[in-house]
Amino acid sequence: MTPEDILSHPPLTLSQAQREAYFRDGFVAVPGVVPPDTLARIRAKSEEFLDKSRSVSGRHEFFDLGPNHSPERPHVRRLRKPVDADPYFWEVAAGDVMTSVAADLVGPDVKFHSAKLNYKWPGSGELVKWHQDINAWPHTNYSPVTLGIHLDDVGEDEGPLACVPGSHEGPLYSQFGADGNWTGHLSAQDEAKANLDSAVNLTGPAGTVIAINCRTIHASFANRTNRVRPLLLYVYSSADAFAWAVSPTPTSHSGEIVRGQRARFVHMDSRPCEVPPEWDKVGYNSIFAAQKAGM
Ligand SMILES: O=C(O)CCC(=O)C(=O)O
C-alpha cells in the first residue's frame, strides 16, 4: 500500500496529523498510548526477567548479557523474543492497542515480524550507532515499522532514540565494513552525508509509543542517569510485505497476521536493498554485539 492508500483509511488511534508526520519524517512519538494497567504489567514482567537473569550466564536463548553481568549486578542488554519468553508480551503485540497504531501506519492488514526488549544501563555500554533497520531484515517493500513502548519516562538524559527526519526517503546506506564484514552501522563517510545534525530525540513519558520506519536513520546515545532505560520494541509490516531473507531475530509468531486479512498479492517496491549476511549460517547475537565486534 502507498502512504496515500494508508491515509485514506480512517485513523484508529493516532491523529491524522500524527500519521502524516510519520510519512513525512519517517518517525513519530505519541504520548499516552499504552494504558497504565498494561504498562504496569509489562514493567512487572520486565522486572521478573531482570531478576531471572541473575541465575544465567553465557549465551542464552532469551538473554543478551553484557560482559560484566553477574548475579549481584545483572546486566541484560536485551531480552530477545519477549513474545516467546512470556505470553503476556505476545498478548500486547497482538492486542488492539498496538495493532491499531500499526494499522494507522501500515494499513488495515498487519503482519507481525519480531520483538525485543532493550535495556540501556547507566553509562555508555548500550550506545547504538547510526543505522537503518531494514538492511538486516529486508522485505519486498518498506512498510515495516518498529513501534517502541517507553516503559518509563524518557528525557534527553535517558539515551532516547534519535531519528534523522526525512532519511526514510533517502538512500539505504551499506552496513558492511570495508573488509566485507557486517558492522550494523553506517560508515564514517556515509555519516558525513546523512544530515545527522538534524536528528530529533524521541523523548516522552512512560506509555509513549514511538514509531520508526524501517528505512529511517537512527541511533541512541548514552544513558546519563543512574537508572536503567527499558524500551519494548515490536516490529510490524503491511500484510503485503514479505521478508526475502532469513530473519536475524525470528520468533514463533513471525509472519502472523495480527489484524485484518492475509494478502492476496505481494507489494514490491523497486528501491534496492543490499543483501544481508545469511543469519542462519553466520548467527546473530544482537545489535550491541554486532556493532562492537563487526560481528
Ligand atoms: O534501544 C535503543 O535505544 C535503540 C535500539 C535500536 O536502534 C535497534 O535495536 O535497532
Side-chain angles (χ1 to χ4, degrees):
M1 294 185 87
T2 64
E4 294 68 36
D5 292 332
I6 295 166
L7 289 169
S8 72
H9 290 266
L12 299 166
T13 294
L14 306 187
S15 67
Q16 197 69 351
Q18 287 163 339
R19 301 168 85 197
E20 284 165 4
Y22 169 80
F23 287 112
R24 183 189 64 231
D25 297 334
F27 60 87
V28 68
V30 186
V33 172
V34 180
D37 54 332
T38 307
L39 202 57
R41 261 188 92 181
I42 299 174
R43 272 210 210 99
K45 287 288 173 197
S46 164
E47 289 299 325
E48 203 180 295
F49 276 98
L50 287 183
D51 211 39
K52 274 188 197 160
S53 77
R54 292 176 192 276
S55 58
V56 169
S57 60
R59 268 191 83 90
H60 188 274
E61 181 183 7
F62 295 122
F63 293 111
D64 173 30
L65 301 173
N68 300 321
H69 173 82
S70 70
E72 301 73 36
R73 290 173 69 87
H75 182 180
V76 180
R77 298 188 292 198
R78 172 177 285 179
L79 180 67
R80 301 190 189 96
K81 307 189 286 183
V83 294
D84 288 331
D86 189 286
Y88 188 62
F89 288 116
W90 174 244
E91 199 179 314
V92 175
D96 197 50
V97 171
M98 297 309 286
T99 64
S100 65
V101 176
D104 278 340
L105 302 176
V106 306
D109 302 317
V110 182
K111 190 186 280 183
F112 173 77
H113 179 262
S114 59
K116 56 201 171 189
L117 173 47
N118 283 353
Y119 294 96
K120 186 178 290 199
W121 296 82
S124 54
E126 283 77 41
L127 293 190
V128 178
K129 297 179 192 165
W130 295 105
H131 67 286
Q132 292 162 298
D133 287 338
I134 199 67
N135 305 47
W137 30 268
H139 280 61
T140 56
N141 63 52
Y142 298 102
S143 66
V145 60
T146 296
L147 299 184
I149 303 176
H150 286 176
L151 302 194
D152 291 322
D153 296 350
V154 176
E156 304 289 336
D157 286 344
E158 273 83 6
L161 231 135
C163 293
V164 179
S167 53
H168 63 311
E169 300 291 4
L172 284 181
Y173 292 103
S174 181
Q175 293 179 176
F176 288 92
D179 59 3
N181 283 326
W182 177 258
T183 61
H185 61 83
L186 271 62
S187 67
Q189 293 90 312
D190 287 337
E191 281 191 1
K193 298 181 212 152
N195 204 13
L196 303 182
D197 289 346
S198 66
V200 174
N201 285 334
L202 304 192
T203 54
T208 295
V209 167
I210 59 175
I212 304 158
N213 179 260
C214 63
R215 297 178 62 97
T216 300
I217 298 176
H218 62 285
S220 89
F221 303 110
N223 177 354
R224 297 193 297 261
T225 72
N226 53 13
R227 300 172 305 279
V228 63
R229 186 231 58 185
L231 179 66
L232 178 58
L233 298 159
Y234 291 120
V235 183
Y236 303 90
S237 73
S238 57
D240 62 9
F242 289 81
W244 55 256
V246 171
S247 170
T249 54
T251 77
S252 66
H253 294 286
S254 298
E256 280 184 34
I257 299 298
V258 285
R259 195 174 185 104
Q261 308 296 321
R262 190 172 171 271
R264 280 187 61 207
F265 297 95
V266 58
H267 173 199
M268 315 281 275
D269 187 311
S270 61
R271 289 172 291 176
C273 180
E274 198 169 13
V275 178
E278 294 175 282
W279 299 119
D280 52 339
K281 302 210 173 88
V282 301
Y284 183 83
N285 190 4
S286 72
I287 193 165
F288 310 112
Q291 289 195 344
K292 275 206 174 70
M295 283 213 343

